[in-house]
């Protein structure tokens, strides 16, 4: 078993899941893959099970009944990883918007540079987004700016979903108290890590809009983030966060 796990949540990703698993398996760094499938009716889970047979002991699946939210999928995966010996756990989309070839860079930011959290950042070196409509680029960019303004978090891409977590971060955060399920989940995890003093490193990536399959983004998910950020900030004013020890 590797010490690094990649968690990929899926719902109707039959067009992408086989290829994304093959891409991760083909990397020089040894990553295991855990797919969290929310009852995809298109056969996504069956494709994953074929890959499990192809890559025994490296590909796993957890099947859930129905769409339960992105945040709960990752929490499920984090707890699964913590019950095992994984030291580094990465979130990644199934649709190739996150390039699997960037996984080693995120892992290196934690393993070699002492990061507790490594963020695949679209905005740390300009705006590196391909094939998104301009309206969505602006919405995402200014959403991150809004989050920085409200939370005072020193992170350029606060809404990024391509993130490597060191085990001790996931052990320290009370995963059962992570409130948000959609877009705001990514912000909440980063913010609570930031408030505890964990070392956050942003690694520049190029984000490419999906080619195959259907986006799961919608207005209600974005709305959760807008109001969720204010809630996070207000609650933090009345909560003292224990500070993390520096990495050895």
């Amino acid at each position: 078993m590797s010490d690094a796990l990649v968690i990929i949540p899926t719902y109707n990703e039959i067009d992408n899941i086989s290829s994304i698993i093959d891409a991760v398996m083909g990397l020089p760094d040894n990553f295991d893959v855990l797919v969290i499938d929310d009852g995809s009716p298109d056969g996504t889970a069956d494709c994953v099970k074929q890959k499990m047979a192809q890559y025994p002991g490296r590909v796993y699946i957890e099947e859930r009944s129905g769409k339960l939210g992105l945040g709960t999928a990752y929490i499920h995966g984090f707890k699964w990883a913590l019950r095992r010996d994984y030291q580094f756990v990465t979130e990644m989309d199934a649709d190739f918007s996150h390039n699997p070839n960037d996984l080693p860079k995120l892992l290196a930011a934690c393993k070699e540079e002492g990061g507790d959290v490594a963020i695949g950042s679209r905005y740390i070196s300009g705006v590196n987004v391909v094939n998104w409509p301009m309206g969505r680029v602006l919405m995402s960019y200014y959403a991150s700016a809004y989050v920085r303004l409200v939370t005072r978090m020193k992170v350029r891409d606060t809404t990024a979903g391509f993130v490597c977590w060191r085990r001790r971060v996931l052990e320290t955060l009370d995963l059962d108290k992570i409130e948000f399920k959609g877009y705001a989940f990514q912000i909440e995890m980063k913010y609570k890590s930031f408030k505890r003093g964990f070392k956050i490193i942003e690694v520049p990536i190029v984000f490419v809009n999906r080619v195959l399959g259907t986006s799961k983004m919608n207005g209600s998910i974005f709305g959760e983030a807008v109001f969720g950020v204010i809630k996070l900030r207000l609650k933090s004013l009345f909560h003292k966060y224990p500070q993390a020890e520096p990495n050895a």
Side-chain angles (χ1 to χ4, degrees):
M1 187 175 74
S2 169
D3 68 347
L5 178 70
V6 180
I7 300 175
I8 305 176
T10 55
Y11 182 76
N12 285 350
E13 291 290 356
I14 197 167
D15 292 329
N16 296 301
I17 193 62
S18 292
S19 298
I20 199 82
I21 290 174
D22 287 340
V24 176
M25 292 295 104
L27 292 170
D29 293 83
N30 194 20
F31 293 90
D32 289 351
V33 169
L34 171 65
V35 174
I36 310 290
D37 186 66
D38 274 5
S40 299
D42 69 347
T44 296
D46 292 333
C47 283
V48 176
K49 289 168 186 174
Q50 292 172 15
K51 292 299 172 183
M52 290 172 66
Q54 184 177 347
Y55 305 107
R58 294 192 62 197
V59 177
Y60 304 90
I61 188 169
E62 289 282 285
E63 297 181 77
R64 308 196 303 170
S65 55
K67 295 179 71 175
L68 302 175
L70 180 71
T72 67
Y74 278 127
I75 295 296
H76 186 111
F78 293 155
K79 289 180 176 180
W80 188 94
L82 291 176
R83 290 194 297 271
R84 292 156 179 85
D85 293 328
Y86 294 104
Q87 300 302 309
F88 305 94
V89 182
T90 302
E91 307 172 32
M92 189 174 75
D93 289 348
D95 60 7
F96 285 93
S97 55
H98 302 143
N99 187 340
N101 291 328
D102 288 328
L103 282 168
K105 293 194 293 185
L106 295 183
L107 184 61
C110 290
K111 271 191 171 182
E112 299 168 19
E113 299 175 44
D116 294 301
V117 183
I119 299 171
S121 178
R122 298 163 291 186
Y123 307 128
I124 194 66
S125 59
V127 178
N128 294 312
V129 178
V130 177
N131 293 337
W132 255 9
M134 182 55 66
R136 188 166 176 186
V137 172
L138 293 173
M139 181 177 72
S140 173
Y141 181 82
Y142 285 110
S144 279
Y146 163 77
V147 173
R148 286 197 306 277
L149 178 67
V150 174
T151 65
R152 302 178 185 176
M153 186 164 39
K154 297 175 177 65
V155 173
R156 296 293 302 177
D157 195 349
T158 56
T159 61
F162 195 19
V163 186
C164 181
W165 305 91
R166 188 182 286 268
R167 181 185 184 92
R168 72 173 189 145
V169 181
L170 300 179
E171 289 176 331
T172 301
L173 300 181
D174 189 340
L175 297 176
D176 289 327
K177 290 186 178 178
I178 300 296
E179 296 182 45
F180 298 111
K181 296 181 178 180
Y183 205 55
F185 163 81
Q186 302 292 1
I187 301 166
E188 183 178 3
M189 288 286 292
K190 295 179 188 70
Y191 183 60
K192 290 185 173 179
S193 301
F194 166 73
K195 293 296 286 185
R196 283 171 172 80
F198 285 113
K199 182 177 180 180
I200 300 174
I201 297 175
E202 289 190 83
V203 177
I205 65 159
V206 176
F207 179 96
V208 180
N209 193 30
R210 68 162 61 236
V211 175
L212 300 172
T214 304
S215 173
K216 314 304 187 295
M217 179 63 68
N218 59 51
S220 65
I221 291 174
F222 189 72
E224 179 195 58
V226 171
F227 296 107
V229 170
I230 297 172
K231 185 177 179 181
L232 282 173
R233 175 65 176 153
L234 290 175
K235 288 181 74 172
S236 75
L237 298 176
F238 304 98
H239 182 79
K240 184 173 177 60
Y241 294 88
Q243 293 301 289
E245 295 291 331
N247 283 315

